[in-house]
Amino acid sequence: MGKKQFKAESKRLLEMMIHSIYTHKEIFLRELISNASDAIDKLYFKSLTDDKVGLSKEDFAIWIKADKDSRTLKITDNGIGMTEEELENNLGTIANSGSFKFKNENKLEEDNQIIGQFGVGFYSAFMVAKKVTVVSKAYGSDKAYQWESEGVNGYTITEAEKQSAGTEITLELLEDTDDENYTEFLDQYRLKSLVRKYSDYIRFPVKMECTHSRPKEQSEEDKEAKKPLEYEEYIEVETLNSMVPLWKKNKSELKEEDYKHFYTEKFYDYNEPLKYAHISNEMPAYNALLYIPSKAPFDFYSKEYEKGLQLYSNGVLIMDKCADLLPDYYSFVKGLVDSEDLSLNISREMLQHDRQLKVIAKSIEKTISNELKKMLKNEREKYEEFWKAFGLQLKYGIYSDYGMNKEKLQDLLMFTSSNEHKLVTLDEYVTGMREEQKYIYYATGESAARIEQLPQTELVKDNGFEILYLTDNIDEFAIKTLRQYKDKEFKSVSADDLGLENAEKKEEIKAKEEENSGLLETLAKALDGKVSKVILSQRLKSHPVCITSEGEISLEMEKVLNSMPTDQKIQAQRVLEINPEHEIFGKLQSLDKSGDSDKLGKYAKLLYDQALLIEGMDIEDPVEFSNLICELM
Ligand code: ADP
């Protein structure tokens, strides 16, 4: 049969393996054993509901056999096996494998990191072998096939002989060089220690025929003559791994390293987790390993991202991403849950209604909440890192489901504060409130620096009150959903009633507005369709004008809502506020007196555009704006 070519991506990966100078080539064994274990998992799972499999738990095993004469190492499993097509697809097109994404193909450093962090599956065999032969028979098929390759030049697939379902992989090891010793992978002690190091928690026995020696029985004569003992060799089958999954081990046996390694390995994350928790719960009974990644996955805030935890029933994987175990607002959590109380042959649909699963999900949620609160309290820096990666998700959690979960989440929120631009929690804000302060003040904008310059913040800051800077689109929606925190209402610095105005000043402004009602009307008329009214401001100190809004929809919300892909456009009711203390107001008054309503109209437009610009909004007609400036200059 002719030679087939590898797919381009596979070829690159293969080349990377062959030329690898990676110092831990030994991980190839771990990779092949994991694959074998996955394959057995699949057949074992079948055997639970299908008598035809004819194997019971004790029958499943992975075998390692080293032969020094032929320099070969065999790894055999009696798992699900592969059909001819699967051999072709799985081993000819490895870049499909979820564990591998090409990053920077040409950089060795990077390569080494990739190999080290993820393990790259089957092809890692080519780090130590010049030729790899796979003989496999799929469960339920009566034919077996052999896949064979000596590297990048391609592979062949031919029919083969094999009794029962499963896969046998034979590696013909590379010759030793000055730098590399491949022969050691034929040494039984080396193999034993590698299995213990990397594959100890594999759930099926990894067996090997080990050679030992013992003293031969001596005759009485020889004993008397004190002849030296003679030794004989004998062979004994040993199980090399302890088979206890990591999460079922005693916490005291495990090191931070173990947890971290397990994470990067299992969840294909290149970065170490920010936090982990190992839980053994009694009621309901389950073990869990939960991880918070240190960075949001690249697709986290997209529709493609799938949340969920791996679900095991007493050590047997029944679902890879069980979404029902995590609420949306904790969708960033990775990990697994193992419960003895779940039935094995439960279907996906049934699982959704499983009462036990719901109880477990509740308990998991509580655990996550507690862990986050603990982190906030004891590891502030770490929590802020977490917040930067996943805070957005929690804010969505407040807003969604009509605010149903706001009580659970509100203590986890953080916002940038006007005080030194630090992140503060709502609790910290409220604790720091002045006695005379009625509200929790907030301001919205693109960035803290931008908000800082908003004229609307002047009055609040002048009173010495802290302001929360809301810079994400979702923020104001979340705040509106909360409405209040610890009996303190939220108040936008753009609101018409800030609770700061003293009665005297209010009266004064009111009188001024009446005095200038004609002027204000003329200005409003010039801005017809743009603003609902023009008023004299109580909040401005140094700035001449600002834009605020009345009603439920703020300018920031208008921006957000209008950036959504719907046809309906929404407009906040805009109010132009003019600072009566500013000299520009005197100018307006004198124009009004001289009856130059044309010029007054032009001033109105300019001031309005100016206010929009400060607010970080687009002006409608930049050309007109520019012309007006020149004209009035
Ligand atoms: P990954 O395990 O990350 O998917 P691999 O390169 O290790 O990637 O393997 C590719 C695929 O080949 C596996 O997903 C599996 O379908 C198949 N495979 C590998 N080894 C075996 C085996 N021993 N038995 C059955 N299928 C296997």
Side-chain angles (χ1 to χ4, degrees):
M1 219 189 246
K3 201 160 250 184
K4 301 193 178 188
Q5 294 304 310
F6 287 102
K7 297 264 155 53
E9 295 273 274
S10 312
K11 202 164 159 182
R12 260 153 65 203
L13 175 53
L14 203 54
E15 260 163 359
M16 191 171 117
M17 289 299 134
I18 291 166
H19 302 297
S20 159
I21 53 157
Y22 184 55
T23 40
H24 304 291
K25 293 188 172 185
E26 60 193 35
I27 55 121
F28 82 93
L29 189 63
R30 169 190 79 191
E31 298 297 310
L32 297 183
I33 290 176
S34 310
N35 281 351
S37 167
D38 290 347
I40 293 180
D41 246 333
K42 285 178 195 153
L43 192 57
Y44 173 54
F45 189 61
K46 239 189 186 48
S47 77
L48 297 170
T49 52
D50 183 353
D51 291 338
K52 285 203 292 293
V53 176
L55 295 169
S56 58
K57 173 116 206 225
E58 303 74 53
D59 301 324
F60 290 102
I62 299 158
W63 285 86
I64 299 180
K65 193 172 167 60
D67 180 46
K68 288 188 171 147
D69 297 332
S70 60
R71 282 183 71 75
T72 55
L73 184 65
K74 270 194 206 317
I75 292 103
T76 312
D77 68 70
N78 52 355
I80 194 97
M82 283 176 275
T83 61
E84 181 182 15
E85 222 189 342
E86 284 166 339
L87 278 170
E88 171 92 46
N89 292 337
N90 295 342
L91 307 186
T93 339
I94 295 266
N96 276 344
S97 136
S99 53
F100 193 79
K101 292 252 152 46
F102 275 97
K103 287 217 162 169
N104 194 343
E105 315 113 41
N106 300 321
K107 275 184 32 225
L108 266 175
E109 260 310 290
E110 194 98 356
D111 289 355
N112 278 344
Q113 267 183 353
I114 291 172
I115 297 172
Q117 299 275 341
F118 297 140
V120 284
F122 172 74
Y123 281 5
S124 59
F126 286 95
M127 286 198 293
V128 299
K130 56 181 172 199
K131 181 170 165 189
V132 178
T133 308
V134 181
V135 175
S136 194
K137 187 175 187 178
Y139 169 72
S141 155
D142 49 7
K143 277 191 180 156
Y145 292 90
Q146 169 172 310
W147 179 100
E148 191 166 79
S149 170
E150 291 183 38
V152 282
N153 287 332
Y155 58 90
T156 56
I157 296 180
T158 49
E159 256 192 75
E161 283 299 319
K162 193 175 184 312
Q163 278 301 311
S164 48
T167 303
E168 178 184 272
I169 299 179
T170 308
L171 311 183
E172 204 176 309
L173 296 181
L174 289 161
E175 305 302 333
D176 292 344
T177 66
D178 289 346
D179 307 320
E180 301 281 355
N181 177 358
Y182 299 102
T183 311
E184 65 172 14
F185 297 126
L186 298 169
D187 177 68
Q188 72 177 22
Y189 296 103
R190 180 84 171 111
L191 290 167
K192 252 191 208 180
S193 84
L194 284 180
V195 171
R196 275 205 208 107
K197 180 170 173 192
Y198 292 115
S199 311
D200 194 52
Y201 58 79
I202 291 285
R203 298 186 318 107
F204 300 98
V206 179
K207 294 185 181 179
M208 185 164 68
E209 285 183 349
C210 296
T211 316
H212 302 281
S213 68
R214 62 186 162 208
K216 272 190 187 165
E217 200 63 55
Q218 272 185 325
S219 65
E220 288 304 315
E221 269 167 43
D222 287 350
K223 265 189 201 159
E224 237 147 76
K226 293 224 160 84
K227 272 204 172 173
L229 286 169
E230 273 183 56
Y231 287 85
E232 63 176 0
E233 289 199 331
Y234 70 99
I235 289 175
E236 193 177 59
V237 173
E238 284 184 34
T239 294
L240 312 182
N241 54 331
S242 75
M243 287 186 277
V244 183
L246 186 75
W247 58 93
K248 287 206 172 175
K249 284 194 179 162
N250 212 319
K251 277 178 222 174
S252 58
E253 282 174 50
L254 295 162
K255 293 193 291 277
E256 195 176 320
E257 280 312 300
D258 298 322
Y259 290 113
K260 287 186 172 170
H261 182 76
F262 183 82
Y263 170 80
T264 46
E265 183 66 10
K266 190 150 189 123
F267 299 103
Y268 307 129
D269 192 348
Y270 180 76
N271 304 293
E272 283 193 351
L274 188 67
K275 189 115 189 98
Y276 64 82
H278 184 178
I279 296 134
S280 321
N281 205 60
E282 301 269 346
M283 292 274 281
Y286 68 87
N287 290 304
L289 278 178
L290 302 176
Y291 291 95
I292 298 175
S294 55
K295 296 211 168 66
F298 72 96
D299 61 348
F300 184 66
Y301 290 108
S302 79
K303 272 210 272 316
E304 276 67 50
Y305 182 80
E306 266 183 84
K307 66 164 182 170
L309 299 176
Q310 278 197 332
L311 183 60
Y312 289 80
S313 167
N314 204 11
V316 182
L317 180 68
I318 50 178
M319 198 187 284
D320 199 33
K321 274 194 178 155
C322 182
D324 298 328
L325 282 170
L326 288 177
D328 278 342
Y329 40 88
Y330 291 153
S331 62
F332 48 82
V333 175
K334 304 252 184 212
L336 58 87
V337 175
D338 190 347
S339 171
E340 297 179 11
D341 298 348
L342 286 168
S343 151
L344 254 185
N345 43 11
I346 193 165
S347 72
R348 235 162 229 264
E349 294 71 40
M350 298 266 295
L351 207 51
Q352 275 191 354
H353 305 292
D354 191 81
R355 216 187 57 83
Q356 195 58 23
L357 191 79
K358 287 200 175 119
V359 178
I360 294 175
K362 261 235 160 70
S363 163
I364 297 264
E365 177 180 348
K366 241 204 202 113
T367 307
I368 299 172
S369 296
N370 289 340
E371 287 294 323
L372 288 174
K373 280 178 191 155
K374 251 193 338 214
M375 178 158 60
L376 175 59
K377 194 163 162 230
N378 305 325
E379 299 173 286
R380 178 67 171 218
E381 250 174 65
K382 223 177 215 186
Y383 189 84
E384 291 190 8
E385 213 180 304
F386 156 75
W387 180 255
K388 279 172 193 145
F390 300 111
L392 201 53
Q393 192 64 16
L394 296 190
K395 292 187 282 194
Y396 276 112
I398 298 263
Y399 172 66
S400 51
D401 294 323
Y402 310 100
M404 225 165 70
N405 303 298
K406 61 183 183 185
E407 253 90 58
K408 279 186 257 182
L409 299 174
Q410 59 186 4
D411 287 320
L412 296 170
L413 296 181
M414 289 190 128
F415 295 100
T416 306
S417 151
S418 54
N419 295 347
E420 300 167 51
H421 290 197
K422 278 186 319 209
L423 283 169
V424 294
T425 63
L426 294 177
D427 183 55
E428 285 160 357
Y429 183 101
V430 169
T431 311
M433 273 170 78
R434 299 258 191 108
E435 214 172 302
E436 71 273 24
Q437 187 177 348
K438 273 213 314 241
Y439 302 114
I440 302 173
Y441 293 103
Y442 68 88
T444 54
E446 227 162 79
S447 63
R450 206 62 198 253
I451 296 174
E452 194 90 301
Q453 290 170 351
L454 287 179
Q456 293 92 312
T457 60
E458 283 186 318
L459 181 61
V460 180
K461 271 195 219 152
D462 261 22
N463 276 273
F465 298 155
E466 190 176 7
I467 302 172
L468 299 176
Y469 290 171
L470 312 192
T471 50
D472 279 323
N473 282 347
I474 187 70
D475 288 354
E476 197 171 8
F477 294 86
I479 289 288
K480 294 235 157 158
T481 309
L482 283 177
R483 301 226 332 262
Q484 52 177 32
Y485 179 82
K486 299 211 167 145
D487 295 332
K488 302 286 182 199
E489 246 177 82
F490 289 96
K491 194 67 126 184
S492 162
V493 294
S494 306
D496 38 21
D497 174 25
L498 286 176
L500 295 173
E501 310 74 7
N502 60 43
E504 219 170 287
K505 176 115 193 244
K506 219 172 190 167
E507 283 306 310
E508 200 183 300
I509 293 258
K510 213 166 184 186
K512 247 192 198 150
E513 275 186 336
E514 259 157 43
E515 242 168 71
N516 295 279
S517 62
L519 166 61
L520 294 175
E521 225 163 86
T522 315
L523 294 172
K525 218 176 260 162
L527 296 173
D528 191 29
K530 296 183 164 109
V531 301
S532 59
K533 59 183 177 190
V534 178
I535 61 167
L536 294 183
S537 181
Q538 306 179 51
R539 82 186 89 221
L540 290 174
K541 294 272 158 194
S542 59
H543 287 75
V545 283
C546 72
I547 287 265
T548 57
S549 63
E550 49 179 5
E552 264 309 295
I553 299 180
S554 73
L555 292 169
E556 200 56 32
M557 289 165 86
E558 173 192 306
K559 265 191 256 173
V560 175
L561 291 170
N562 287 346
S563 69
M564 292 183 186
T566 57
D567 290 339
Q568 265 189 350
K569 292 296 168 208
I570 285 159
Q571 259 227 319
Q573 290 199 36
R574 300 177 182 193
V575 176
L576 181 67
E577 299 195 13
I578 298 177
N579 183 354
E581 312 297 337
H582 199 278
E583 52 186 80
I584 195 72
F585 184 64
K587 177 82 189 175
L588 292 173
Q589 279 176 315
S590 68
L591 280 176
D592 186 40
K593 268 204 197 99
S594 67
D596 192 349
S597 61
D598 181 46
K599 202 163 193 180
L600 202 52
K602 286 176 180 167
Y603 267 78
K605 280 185 184 148
L606 259 187
L607 287 172
Y608 173 69
D609 281 348
Q610 217 180 326
L612 285 179
L613 286 174
I614 297 172
E615 191 71 29
M617 301 179 73
D618 289 337
I619 51 179
E620 284 155 35
D621 191 345
V623 177
E624 186 192 30
F625 177 68
S626 161
N627 288 342
L628 280 174
I629 289 185
C630 288
E631 193 186 322
L632 296 172
M633 268 162 102

